[in-house]
Amino acid sequence: MNVGDSFISERREFVDPGTGRKIVQLTSGDCFDYHLYYFIPSMTTDSKTIVFYRHKQDEVQLYKIDVETGLTVKLTDAKTPNSLWRPWLQAPGHGVRDL
């Protein structure tokens, strides 16, 4: 996938059985998506777009998603050898540096 390539992410909505609150899952699939670092806003000021990290196949890149339509666009093609990706079970891949 190249920078600027887009696709529609699979959206899923359900009700949490414990709280009764509606949950909206914007992405799914064979990757791990998560928000930008804690002190960096992931959502645009108009609340229409979220920028996020995607870890897929030992690579970390930035994507954006339109909250209403699910249109998802790849923003980067970083080649940094160690992305400093340090979540739970995945090894640090190449790409965008986490944080």
Side-chain angles (χ1 to χ4, degrees):
M1 177 167 256
N2 298 311
V3 171
D5 286 352
S6 64
F7 57 94
I8 301 295
S9 287
E10 251 183 76
R11 180 185 185 107
R12 185 169 76 114
E13 296 184 15
F14 57 97
V15 174
D16 180 274
T19 65
R21 295 188 72 153
K22 178 181 174 181
I23 298 190
V24 178
Q25 179 180 336
L26 298 175
T27 64
S28 63
D30 62 346
C31 54
F32 182 77
D33 298 332
Y34 89 105
H35 58 84
L36 302 180
Y37 189 66
Y38 305 99
F39 305 112
I40 302 169
S42 291
M43 184 171 274
T44 56
T45 56
D46 63 5
S47 299
K48 292 183 178 183
T49 304
I50 297 173
V51 176
F52 61 95
Y53 292 109
R54 172 166 281 184
H55 181 276
K56 184 174 181 175
Q57 298 174 343
D58 198 33
E59 178 178 283
V60 179
Q61 300 296 338
L62 288 172
Y63 287 75
K64 70 175 182 176
I65 185 170
D66 181 292
V67 174
E68 293 177 14
T69 67
L71 181 67
T72 304
V73 180
K74 183 177 181 185
L75 300 175
T76 60
D77 189 26
K79 303 293 185 199
T80 303
N82 182 347
S83 65
L84 300 179
W85 181 263
R86 298 282 191 255
W88 310 272
L89 300 175
Q90 290 89 0
H94 68 277
V96 174
R97 282 191 179 244
D98 187 11
L99 311 180

